Structure formats: C-alpha cells, structure tokens
Amino acid sequence: MPLSSPLPIPATNPTPLSQRTPPKRPHYAISLLKLIKTHKELSQLHSHLIKANLLTNPFTYNSLIKSYSRAGDPNSALSLFLDIINADSAAPDGFTYTFVLNVCAKSSYTVEGKQIHARMVKDPKRINTYSWNSLMGFYVKNGEDVWRVRRVLDGMRDPDVVSWNCLLDGYVKVGNLEAAQQLFDEMPVRDIVSWTTMLVGYADNGLLRNARHLFDGMPERNMVSWSVMIKGFVKAGMYKEALALFKEMQVSNVKIDKITLTTLLSACAGSGALDQGQWVHAYIDRHKIEVDAHLSTALVDMYAKCGKVDLAYSIFKDSKDKEVFSWNAMLGGLAMHSRGDEAIELFREMLSSGIEPNEITFICVLSACSHSGLVEDGLKIFNTIDRYRNVRLSKEHYVCVVDLLARAGLLQDALKVVKEMPMKADGNVWRALLSACHLYGNVEMSEYVGRVLLEMEPTDDGNYIVLSNLYASRNRWDEVGRLRKMMVERRVRKTPGCSLIEVEGVVHTFLAGDCSHSQSGVLRSLVDELIKQCYPLTEIGHE
C-alpha cells in the first residue's frame, strides 16, 4: 500500500559527527534537583544556582518551584514565582502556572491563587489547557463557589476531558447532584474518571439505587469504581448487597486493594458473616498482602463482632503497626464480650507504650467496665479524662457513666449524674437510665424518665416500647393502651425486629412479619412442626 507522502531522502553528504553541534545539556546543578531529599540540600542547591547565574529560564524556576512544593515549603515556591515575574531574563510559561497553582491548592493559599488567576486572565495566550485545569482544581480543592470553576471552563479555548471532570468534581463535592448529572449528560467526552466521579456523588449521598444504575451502565470499570460501590453499600448498612457485589468483582478478575479489603471486612463485621470474613483473611494471606494498621484493625473488629474475640486478640498482639484506632478496636471487642478486666489491663498497656488515648478510647474502656460491673474502676478512669489535653469530655462519655452506675443498680447516682452534666443530656443519656430502670423494676423513676424522653423524642418508637413493656410487666394494661394510642396519634410505627443467620457463607436476613424470603413457606412449616414437638396437643388443650 503506497504512502500518502514520500519518506524524506537522506542527504548524500551528511555532516560528519565531529562537526555536529551536540545538544545542550542542562547544567549538572539543575539535574541534581531530582535527587535532593532534604530541605537543607534544596536551599544549598538554590544558592548555588543563584551564584552560578543559572536562574535564567522558566525551566529552572519551574523545577525549583516543584521541588520546594515537594519539600513542604510553599512560601519559598511562591517567592520564586514572584522572582520570575519580576525577572528580565525569564517569564512564566504554562507549566509555571500549573506548578504554582498546585502549591496554592495544597497549602490552601486562596488569596494568592486568586491573584495568580488574575494574572492568567491578563495574558491568556501564554496559558495552556493544563494551567487552566490546575486553576479549576485549585478552586475545587479550596472549597470555592463552583460558579468560579464554571466560568473558567466557559472561558477556555480548548477544554479537554480533565477540564470537564474538574467542574463535575466541584458539583459533586458541594452536593449539587442535579447540576452534576446535567453536566455529566452534556459532556462531549467522558472517561472512567467522569463515570467514577458521578458514582461517588450518588454513593456518598446514600442514593444507592441511582449509583447502582450508573455502575451497571459504565462502559468500563476499574478497582476504584468497584470500591466506591461496595463502600456505599457498607455505609448504608446494606452488607448483603456489598458482599454480593464483591463476588461479582471476583468473577470480573478485578484486582483487590487494601481499601476494598478493609471495607469488605467492615461489611462482614456488620452482618456477622464470619465465613466470608475468614475468606477475606485467607485471601490476604494467600496473596501475601502487607497488613498495615488499617487492615489489621479491620480484621480485629471483624473477628470480635463475629464472636471470635480470642482470635481478634491474637491478631492484635501479632500486629507490629498499631495506631490508636487499633487499640480502640480491641478495647471495643473486649467491651462487647464483657471482658472488663482484660480491657483495663490492655488500656494500661496502651498508656505504658506511649500511645495517646482519644475520645473513643475512653468510650470503649468505660463500656467494658459497664458491661462487667466494674463501677469503681470505671469511675476512676472517667475522672482521669481531663488529664489529656487532646481528649474532649463529651455526652458519649456521660452515657457510659450513667450506664455504668445504672447497670449496677445505682439508679439515684445515675440520675444525679444526668442532672449535673455540664452539657444538656440528650436521648441517649436518658435512654441508658430508662433501660436500667426497666431492668430493676423501678416504675416511679421509669415514668419520670419516660415522660422526659417522650417529650424530647416524640417519634422514637423505642421509648414507647421500653415504657410499655415495663407497664405490661406490672399488669398496668391501661397505661399500655394509653401508650399505644399515643403512638397511633403521633403516627409512630414500631421498627420490626431483625435477625441474621449465616449458612454456608450466605447471610440470611429475617424481619418480623416479613415473608419475602425464598424459603419462607418451608421455614414456617418447620417452625409449626417444632411448636407441635415442644407443645403437644394435649398440653395446649389444657391451657
């Protein structure tokens, strides 16, 4: 097949190599910019460039600006930008603006970024698409009004897909999904970033039906797309859907990263899917994935919530990378299983190892004391909270103390704590007291606390149920009827009870009064048979 244009014919008498002018190499000092590792080395090299009179072109300035940004010194990077503006021998090019805008975005230098924008508008011919994209990225990262990003896009001569994606990201970040969807539909070109950005918008805002529809229609998916969808399901408590999507991900042979594995372990923990959690653990071992603090914590949390607290403890002990959240996960697991003495011992070990506790740490330890009846230990720990400058005493801590006292039967002490709290007690604080009143049969205090809760949270069905059960246990049926009537008048519906059971790696969910399960008929027949076995007809007839 002939070519549309002939190839160039080589010269018959080419210039000898010895007479050719070799290409000009950058000065060795400029080449060193890529090798420096410390800010001190960078400053020394900068001084050398000045002394050697090498700061004469944008390339050198750009390399220095980029190096100072990488070294965490945005002020020196901006100072260099001012130097190049005022220099007679050099002028900023498109890459200069790109680098300096990235500096402003990373350091939240909003005023300086807007000043650079003004300079770009004055000399648009020298600005390339990359620089305008960097300007849009600067406005999005600094949380500026999206209309600024829209104006930049509308003023560009040659916007590319990155330009459109910047504006799309801006709409998603401010939660304007209607504008984001409209922009997405009108984009001349869309890539996988466009689709994933829109997917993030729907998933993060809990619009899982829209997210799934978009996900199913994606022409191409990558690991990020799958992770976003799975994370969205887990965040919404839809663990069954998250695990089902993970199976689809495996069939599609998509590489699984640590973030996705951590999210999956959270789904297993939330649904009690021990078999699937163990499969994820085996996957980590089989593929020799490095277990960092986040992945280790997810494993600890999963095993603890699935009832394997000893295995969780073993993984925690073997972990070499322990952050404060790792300790919190283990403390929470011990609290969940009423192993208060071990939780206190672990807390002391944490302090002796130099790990600074945070608010969640104290919530976990106090909960462990509460579930184990360790009143004195819990109160001592509570009274040490104000010693830590980074820990703020919150309502959650008072909920734990009220629960600690109330579970031990010290109802008056618990009520005193509620009334003397430095902040106004919310429903969680009063509810902890109400549950204990029910447990100890203190009707008088239950009525008082119940009235407070019904006034504070008139639409919370749990408050009515606890108080109603207490009245029923005392045969006060008139009061039970009054509460039921009040629920009807206020249109409060009881949340149906829910049970989960895992069979051969599949988690089955059952709601009270729900017949949607595929084996519902068989299960009901089996329950009827069990009732007949437990209560023979002769006994039932006598009742």
Side-chain angles (χ1 to χ4, degrees):
M1 183 176 178
L3 297 170
S4 56
S5 58
L7 293 170
I9 300 175
T12 53
N13 296 314
T15 305
L17 290 174
S18 59
Q19 299 179 12
R20 294 183 189 178
T21 303
K24 188 176 181 180
R25 289 185 176 184
H27 193 276
Y28 77 93
I30 298 175
S31 302
L32 287 175
L33 283 171
K34 298 180 179 179
L35 303 177
I36 56 174
K37 297 181 179 179
T38 66
H39 186 273
K40 183 178 179 181
E41 292 175 353
L42 178 58
S43 298
Q44 291 174 343
L45 185 58
H46 187 183
S47 300
H48 181 74
L49 291 172
I50 294 174
K51 292 178 182 178
N53 196 29
L54 294 174
L55 290 179
T56 56
N57 61 73
F59 174 80
T60 310
Y61 276 102
N62 294 346
S63 299
L64 272 173
I65 290 172
K66 189 176 181 181
S67 298
Y68 272 117
S69 176
R70 191 167 55 240
D73 187 357
N75 292 330
S76 295
L78 288 176
S79 178
L80 276 167
F81 179 69
L82 293 177
D83 289 344
I84 194 174
I85 289 174
N86 298 322
D88 296 329
S89 56
D93 60 10
F95 294 105
T96 311
Y97 287 108
T98 298
F99 292 143
V100 76
L101 282 167
N102 288 339
V103 170
C104 293
K106 286 171 60 178
S107 306
S108 299
Y109 284 177
T110 306
V111 175
E112 291 79 1
K114 290 179 179 179
Q115 290 174 342
I116 294 169
H117 182 185
R119 178 167 287 276
M120 293 170 67
V121 171
K122 292 179 181 177
D123 191 16
K125 293 182 180 180
R126 304 186 64 169
I127 311 301
N128 56 29
T129 300
Y130 300 108
S131 298
W132 291 118
N133 290 346
S134 296
L135 178 64
M136 296 169 70
F138 156 76
Y139 280 128
V140 170
K141 289 177 182 177
N142 280 275
E144 287 292 312
D145 292 333
V146 188
W147 68 267
R148 292 182 183 274
V149 185
R150 178 86 229 198
R151 283 184 61 185
V152 174
L153 178 67
D154 292 341
M156 291 177 64
R157 291 195 306 269
D158 301 305
D160 56 13
V161 67
V162 177
S163 314
W164 289 88
N165 285 342
C166 280
L167 180 56
L168 184 65
D169 186 41
Y171 282 133
V172 167
K173 276 186 167 62
V174 299
N176 192 343
L177 297 185
E178 184 178 350
Q181 183 64 62
Q182 183 177 349
L183 180 72
F184 181 79
D185 293 337
E186 70 182 45
M187 287 176 67
V189 179
R190 291 188 294 232
D191 60 8
I192 193 168
V193 176
S194 317
W195 286 87
T196 305
T197 301
M198 199 68 233
L199 186 68
V200 168
Y202 282 131
D204 284 355
N205 286 275
L207 302 173
L208 276 307
R209 182 176 296 179
N210 301 68
R212 184 67 208 234
H213 178 74
L214 187 73
F215 179 81
D216 291 338
M218 290 181 70
E220 178 188 359
R221 300 171 189 155
N222 60 11
M223 182 174 59
V224 177
S225 313
W226 288 91
S227 299
V228 167
M229 198 67 239
I230 291 173
K231 183 180 179 182
F233 281 134
V234 172
K235 184 179 178 182
M238 301 170 67
Y239 305 119
K240 183 178 180 180
E241 290 79 0
L243 293 171
L245 190 61
F246 171 58
K247 291 182 179 179
E248 290 183 40
M249 187 178 183
Q250 290 177 267
V251 174
S252 301
N253 293 320
V254 180
K255 182 181 177 182
I256 306 173
D257 64 348
K258 290 182 182 180
I259 298 176
T260 307
L261 290 169
T262 302
T263 305
L264 286 168
L265 288 169
S266 298
C268 295
S271 60
L274 176 61
D275 287 348
Q276 299 215 32
Q278 289 176 322
W279 187 95
V280 174
H281 192 181
Y283 180 94
I284 294 169
D285 292 339
R286 186 167 60 252
H287 290 81
K288 297 180 180 180
I289 297 173
E290 181 185 2
V291 180
D292 57 13
H294 292 278
L295 198 53
S296 172
T297 301
L299 284 168
V300 169
D301 186 59
M302 183 274 295
Y303 279 119
K305 289 180 178 176
C306 290
K308 300 290 184 179
V309 67
D310 290 324
L311 184 53
Y313 214 155
S314 176
I315 293 171
F316 173 79
K317 288 293 186 182
D318 292 339
S319 176
K320 297 179 181 178
D321 184 15
K322 295 187 183 76
E323 299 288 344
V324 63
F325 50 80
S326 308
W327 294 85
N328 292 346
M330 193 63 247
L331 288 168
L334 292 172
M336 189 185 304
H337 294 275
S338 302
R339 294 165 68 162
D341 290 324
E342 294 174 74
I344 292 174
E345 183 181 348
L346 184 64
F347 177 62
R348 290 170 180 163
E349 182 184 337
M350 174 184 177
L351 297 179
S352 62
S353 65
I355 301 294
E356 186 80 10
N358 59 18
E359 287 89 351
I360 297 175
T361 308
F362 285 101
I363 292 173
C364 293
V365 179
L366 290 172
S367 296
C369 293
S370 176
H371 293 167
S372 303
L374 303 175
V375 178
E376 291 186 10
D377 293 298
L379 292 177
K380 286 179 181 178
I381 292 171
F382 176 76
N383 291 327
T384 64
I385 293 180
D386 57 1
R387 298 179 187 176
Y388 299 91
R389 292 178 297 176
N390 296 327
V391 180
R392 182 180 59 85
L393 199 59
S394 66
K395 291 179 183 178
E396 287 74 17
H397 297 121
Y398 280 97
V399 171
C400 293
V401 173
V402 171
D403 192 54
L404 173 72
L405 295 169
R407 279 175 181 263
L410 303 173
L411 300 179
Q412 291 296 334
D413 292 334
L415 181 59
K416 183 179 179 182
V417 171
V418 174
K419 291 183 175 181
E420 294 180 356
M421 283 174 54
M423 69 282 292
K424 184 179 179 181
D426 62 7
N428 293 325
V429 179
W430 288 104
R431 223 173 345 264
L433 184 55
L434 179 61
S435 297
C437 291
H438 185 196
L439 178 66
Y440 287 97
N442 191 324
V443 180
E444 183 180 354
M445 189 179 291
S446 294
E447 289 181 316
Y448 168 70
V449 176
R451 285 195 299 269
V452 173
L453 274 170
L454 292 181
E455 183 177 344
M456 183 181 294
E457 300 176 340
T459 60
D460 190 306
D461 65 304
N463 300 328
Y464 295 88
I465 302 304
V466 173
L467 200 54
S468 177
N469 290 342
L470 180 64
Y471 286 138
S473 67
R474 295 294 184 271
N475 294 321
R476 296 174 59 175
W477 302 110
D478 290 342
E479 298 294 341
V480 173
R482 183 180 63 84
L483 286 173
R484 296 284 174 85
K485 183 179 179 182
M486 191 182 298
M487 290 181 69
V488 172
E489 291 173 350
R490 295 179 176 180
R491 296 183 179 180
V492 179
R493 298 185 63 183
K494 179 182 176 182
T495 304
C498 177
S499 300
L500 300 173
I501 185 172
E502 183 181 13
V503 180
E504 297 181 352
V506 179
V507 178
H508 299 268
T509 304
F510 297 94
L511 294 174
D514 182 22
C515 301
S516 61
H517 193 277
S518 59
Q519 301 293 317
S520 180
V522 177
L523 292 171
R524 284 181 176 274
S525 298
L526 182 59
V527 171
D528 291 339
E529 185 63 31
L530 287 172
I531 292 174
K532 290 178 182 178
Q533 295 291 333
C534 295
Y535 302 100
L537 292 176
T538 54
E539 294 183 11
I540 296 175
H542 286 299
E543 292 183 351

